[in-house]
Amino acid sequence: MRRSSFAITVSAIALLTAGQALAQEVTPLRLGQSVTGALTAEDTTVDNEEVGQFVYDTYSVRLRQGQRVEATLRAASFDAYLEAFEGDATEAFASDDDGLEEGTDSRMRFVAPASGNYLIRARTLSGLEGGDYTLQINERAAPPRAPRPTGLRIGEEIDGRIADTDPVNDDDALYDAYSFRAREGQRYAISLNSDDFDAIVRVGSARGDFQEIASNDDSGAGGLNSYLVFTAPASGDFIVRAAPLDGTTNGAYTLKVEETGPAAPRNPIAFGDTVEGNLGSHRNDFGVPAEIYTFHATTGQRLIATMSSDSFDTFLELFAERAQDAGGRYSIDSDDDGAGEGTNSRLTFTFYEDGDYALEARAFSDEGEGAFTLTLEEAPPLPEPAPIAVGATVQGEIVDGDATDDENRGYDAYRFTGVAGNRVQAIMRSGDFDTYLQIGAADGEFYAVAEDDDGLGEGTDSRLNYVLPADGDYIVRALPLSSDSTGLYSLELIDRGPQPLPGSILVGATARGTLTEDDGLTEDGSYYDAYKVTLKAGEKLRLTMVSNAFDAYLDVGQEDESGVFTSVISDDDGLSDTHAKIEWSVEEDGDYVIRARSFTSGQEGAYALTVVPRE
């Protein structure tokens, strides 16, 4: 890690990062100080599941509770990213990517939740290609005193703008405040629209300090706008706060508060009922025409709800009902065209607990209206899976009347017994439909732990590879990818035994190999060859993997006594779009395993792996 030339005391503390403990040099800073540095491949590297690898430098600063801090990270050669950690916490409580809104530089703002030491991580957003940067950390002035809310008239649209001079809430987030007078029991629709930021609207009491009653950051139709329906608990003045969801982004917006009609009535419905309805008289809390039907279900019951209309494209959404103090209702499933070709909906769902539920019947578009029919049925119990022996091939047929999954796809289920650690392969072929395979444990409700669509790479046939986590029974489901498909198929089940033991490789050597379906399997179903190498702390290595047959991926880690692999460093496209390269400084003495694998599951072919020392 290269630093600027001014004198600064460096102390080493242990920084525990998520997933691995690393000894990281930490440089102390004081508020108002600016430092220059550089991120290089020699700096601490993290392999993150979401963004891949990144490198970082760490700084410490001592803060008092309530201090308002702003850190800026500017870099010309990489996309800058900032994170803040409280003490030795492993998860950042504040972060920023492009807060400066000037390209790829970062500006992170936060309020210290307690007095103590804080760690500031200056890093690349992703990748090991860093470069020079400048980091500055300052104390922000106290927020301006909040002005009196601007009055607004019901039904009037107001143009506003979020700016850095606006007041901030207790979380240091910018907002504009407006007041309106409401009548007890009246429902009001509050819409906040912006092309500049992801909007959130809050409504609360105007008496004393702002106390939030309701909030929303979604319009119900996607996008960045907000729409909130609010029922006034009493007559009087209420406050609306218009704000960016991230609390910092500036930009223009429009705000409107208007009276809206009564909530859609909650109509009881029972299994076996068919009701005729008309969409258009009532609206849901997003202002969309909807009708709501409530019922009670018990654990294990299977629901089939079908909605049809000649007037609009139907849409069904299933909600679990909860008391307001438990979070209110929440969506658990939905369907658009599950009834097959056309615009009718069929939602299939298996209930996992006793409770009250609600079906919301509406149009796929926000403004669809007209007559519809809704039928609520209880599906029969699922049939017992048929036994299948490992090594066997069975012939089957998906027909109308088969059991269906929650996506309304007919399926056949097969039960087999497996051994922990063994690699199981299921192959499904059909000339009648696009095949789909799932595997799950046999206990309880079926849940797919692995699945495959086109793993054979030969069109529409499937090949599912899975390493069994425990001894016991498992279920394989053979089904079409589409809910309206039927036809003949074949299913073959193969046990390829335990994971192969690693080979070995020496530093300075090149190994040439071929990935096949007999090789080891990663958790995501990719094939790999494993090579063991013994290394010393401080060794600097360059690993490359080249293949013209598949997208190469390198993963270096360590295995415990039970064979569990923990990744230390990995790379996909470090050499080119399909070739991998890792430049690595070994942190600790020990035995390491290099996995030469494909980036995507099911890929096979020849490769060359080279491990050489570097300067």
Side-chain angles (χ1 to χ4, degrees):
M1 179 169 63
R2 176 165 56 85
R3 296 285 186 215
S4 53
S5 59
F6 59 81
I8 194 164
T9 302
V10 177
S11 63
I13 68 172
L15 173 65
L16 180 63
T17 62
Q20 61 189 128
L22 300 172
Q24 161 71 19
E25 181 183 299
V26 178
T27 304
L29 287 178
R30 61 181 181 277
L31 293 177
Q33 187 174 1
S34 177
V35 297
T36 59
L39 293 177
T40 71
E42 282 72 34
D43 286 323
T44 304
T45 303
V46 168
D47 193 16
N48 183 282
E49 291 183 359
E50 296 182 359
V51 301
Q53 292 178 302
F54 62 82
V55 289
Y56 66 89
D57 289 343
T58 304
Y59 297 84
S60 66
V61 61
R62 186 161 187 84
L63 301 173
R64 301 187 313 276
Q65 181 178 359
Q67 274 191 298
R68 292 159 44 84
V69 177
E70 177 178 282
T72 58
L73 179 64
R74 300 177 184 270
S77 56
F78 63 89
D79 193 350
Y81 195 84
L82 280 167
E83 293 175 307
F85 299 81
E86 185 177 1
D88 59 358
T90 61
E91 293 187 9
F93 73 90
S95 62
D96 181 78
D97 176 18
D98 297 324
L100 276 175
E101 298 182 359
E102 299 172 356
T104 58
D105 294 333
S106 301
R107 179 186 63 188
M108 177 177 66
R109 291 174 171 174
F110 64 89
V111 177
S115 297
N117 286 319
Y118 289 80
L119 299 180
I120 307 298
R121 178 186 283 176
R123 51 167 274 202
T124 58
L125 178 63
S126 65
L128 305 180
E129 301 298 327
D132 295 336
Y133 65 82
T134 301
L135 172 67
Q136 183 163 357
I137 185 165
N138 294 313
E139 181 174 8
R140 299 176 60 207
R145 183 175 179 179
R148 291 179 60 85
T150 302
L152 59 80
R153 295 180 179 178
I154 301 299
E156 178 184 3
E157 186 172 86
I158 289 181
D159 293 323
R161 186 173 189 85
I162 297 295
D164 285 338
T165 54
D166 285 335
V168 295
N169 63 15
D170 292 339
D171 295 323
D172 207 37
L174 297 166
Y175 70 88
D176 284 345
Y178 299 86
S179 65
F180 70 98
R181 176 147 296 192
R183 301 193 311 276
E184 181 178 357
Q186 175 63 46
R187 281 166 40 100
Y188 296 89
I190 307 172
S191 55
L192 176 64
N193 300 327
S194 176
D195 293 328
D196 296 331
F197 55 80
D198 192 352
I200 181 169
V201 63
R202 296 181 171 90
V203 62
S205 171
R207 297 180 179 178
D209 293 336
F210 179 81
Q211 297 293 324
E212 183 177 306
I213 298 173
S215 65
N216 191 275
D217 71 334
D218 189 2
S219 68
L224 303 178
N225 298 322
S226 301
Y227 185 93
L228 171 66
V229 173
F230 160 73
T231 301
S235 296
D237 290 335
F238 291 85
I239 303 296
V240 174
R241 285 185 172 182
L245 184 61
D246 64 8
T248 62
T249 305
N250 292 186
Y253 63 84
T254 60
L255 175 69
K256 187 176 184 180
V257 179
E258 55 189 334
E259 293 184 356
T260 188
R266 303 172 67 77
N267 306 299
I269 190 172
F271 286 102
D273 286 354
T274 296
V275 298
E276 304 291 334
N278 197 291
L279 205 62
S281 301
H282 306 103
R283 293 179 178 265
N284 65 12
D285 287 349
F286 290 114
V288 175
E291 295 293 333
I292 297 174
Y293 299 87
T294 60
F295 61 96
H296 185 83
T298 58
T299 302
Q301 272 191 299
R302 299 181 63 235
L303 161 80
I304 300 178
T306 305
M307 182 182 179
S308 59
S309 176
D310 294 328
S311 302
F312 57 87
D313 188 355
T314 64
F315 189 87
L316 281 171
E317 188 163 10
L318 178 65
F319 294 87
E321 300 282 272
R322 295 291 183 269
Q324 285 301 319
D325 58 2
R329 72 174 191 167
Y330 62 93
S331 177
I332 54 176
D333 204 359
S334 63
D335 181 77
D336 171 21
D337 296 326
E341 295 182 2
T343 57
N344 296 327
S345 305
R346 180 181 293 128
L347 188 151
T348 303
F349 187 81
T350 302
F351 294 97
Y352 301 108
E353 59 179 338
D354 296 359
D356 295 323
Y357 297 86
L359 272 171
E360 187 172 284
R362 62 180 191 265
F364 183 70
S365 67
D366 289 349
E367 298 301 326
E369 298 184 0
F372 67 86
T373 300
L374 175 65
T375 299
L376 192 66
E377 303 173 88
E378 182 176 2
L382 297 176
E384 283 295 316
I388 185 174
V390 175
T393 299
V394 298
Q395 309 294 324
E397 184 177 7
I398 302 298
V399 299
D400 292 335
D402 277 343
T404 58
D405 67 2
D406 290 346
E407 302 294 328
N408 295 305
R409 297 175 294 207
Y411 69 86
D412 289 340
Y414 299 87
R415 179 191 293 264
F416 72 94
T417 301
V419 177
N422 279 15
R423 297 165 296 152
V424 172
Q425 184 178 79
I427 298 175
M428 182 180 181
R429 304 177 188 270
S430 175
D432 294 333
F433 55 82
D434 192 353
T435 65
Y436 191 61
L437 280 169
Q438 296 176 322
I439 190 171
D443 297 332
E445 293 293 330
F446 179 83
Y447 173 75
V449 294
E451 52 200 357
D452 180 76
D453 172 18
D454 297 325
L456 270 178
E458 302 169 358
T460 57
D461 296 330
S462 304
R463 177 176 58 188
L464 173 61
N465 296 302
Y466 183 63
V467 179
L468 301 180
D471 294 348
D473 287 350
Y474 293 84
I475 303 296
V476 172
R477 281 188 176 182
L479 63 165
L481 186 62
S482 172
S483 63
D484 56 1
S485 297
T486 58
L488 299 169
Y489 68 86
S490 68
L491 173 66
E492 181 181 9
L493 188 63
I494 304 167
D495 186 347
R496 297 196 174 276
Q499 299 272 42
L501 295 175
S504 61
I505 191 171
L506 297 174
V507 175
T510 295
R512 301 185 184 277
T514 302
L515 293 185
T516 72
E517 60 185 15
D518 293 321
D519 287 327
L521 278 176
T522 64
E523 291 184 356
D524 63 3
S526 297
Y527 302 128
Y528 71 86
D529 285 341
Y531 299 87
K532 183 175 289 187
V533 60
T534 301
L535 301 171
K536 296 290 186 180
E539 282 191 80
K540 296 182 178 181
L541 302 176
R542 178 180 293 109
L543 296 79
T544 59
M545 181 180 177
V546 177
S547 175
N548 293 323
F550 56 85
D551 191 353
Y553 189 87
L554 276 172
D555 199 359
V556 182
Q558 293 181 300
E559 290 185 351
D560 62 18
E561 294 180 356
S562 62
V564 175
F565 178 84
T566 301
S567 178
V568 173
I569 189 169
S570 63
D571 180 74
D572 170 24
D573 298 328
L575 191 60
S576 70
D577 285 345
T578 58
H579 303 319
K581 180 181 72 173
I582 290 176
E583 293 192 342
W584 180 37
S585 296
V586 181
E587 296 282 343
E588 298 178 356
D589 295 355
D591 291 332
Y592 291 84
V593 174
I594 302 169
R595 285 186 172 182
R597 52 164 287 190
S598 61
F599 181 72
T600 304
S601 63
Q603 292 183 327
E604 303 178 29
Y607 67 87
L609 168 67
T610 301
V611 182
V612 296
R614 66 182 179 88
E615 294 297 329

